[in-house]
Amino acid sequence: MQATSLIDQINHDLALQLEPRLSEAELIAALGQFVNELIQSDFDRLIRMLYRIDIQEATLKQLLKAHADTDAGHIIAVLIVERQKQKLESRNQFKQSSDDIPPDERW
């Protein structure tokens, strides 16, 4: 259930159509390939996408520098997945059920 929500969120935020039943490793591989294509063909779109997802530029630069021999698409894909997980956890943590709201305060 968590993985499907994660993939749904990534599909929505990145305008992709990834298979909802991918394992995390398959998800990272597919995202890595997508990111590498963007690096080659539409770098501006990649930058806008990372900004929208809220990937910290300093963290990205540090990881790319520290792992210069690793595929950049893979590194960025891992960051995207981790950030999306954080967003989902945050939303679930602060989500209120309608049962928690008194009837006179509901809209």
Side-chain angles (χ1 to χ4, degrees), residues 65-81:
K65 186 176 181 180
H67 303 283
D69 58 335
T70 304
D71 177 47
H74 177 80
I75 292 170
I76 295 170
V78 170
L79 285 174
I80 290 170
V81 169

Side-chain angles (χ1 to χ4, degrees), residues 96-107:
Q96 283 188 343
S97 102
S98 61
D99 296 337
D100 294 344
I101 302 171
D104 59 329
E105 292 183 16
R106 292 185 192 165
W107 291 52

Side-chain angles (χ1 to χ4, degrees), residues 49-107:
M49 180 185 76
L50 293 175
Y51 179 78
R52 188 174 61 247
I53 296 171
D54 194 27
I55 300 294
Q56 297 298 314
E57 182 180 356
T59 303
L60 176 58
K61 284 182 178 181
Q62 179 185 11
L63 285 173
L64 290 172
K65 186 176 181 180
H67 303 283
D69 58 335
T70 304
D71 177 47
H74 177 80
I75 292 170
I76 295 170
V78 170
L79 285 174
I80 290 170
V81 169
E82 291 304 315
R83 182 63 184 123
Q84 296 297 70
K85 283 181 180 180
Q86 291 171 355
K87 286 181 181 180
L88 286 172
E89 288 173 15
S90 178
R91 286 180 187 141
N92 287 335
Q93 183 179 11
F94 294 105
K95 185 177 181 180
Q96 283 188 343
S97 102
S98 61
D99 296 337
D100 294 344
I101 302 171
D104 59 329
E105 292 183 16
R106 292 185 192 165
W107 291 52

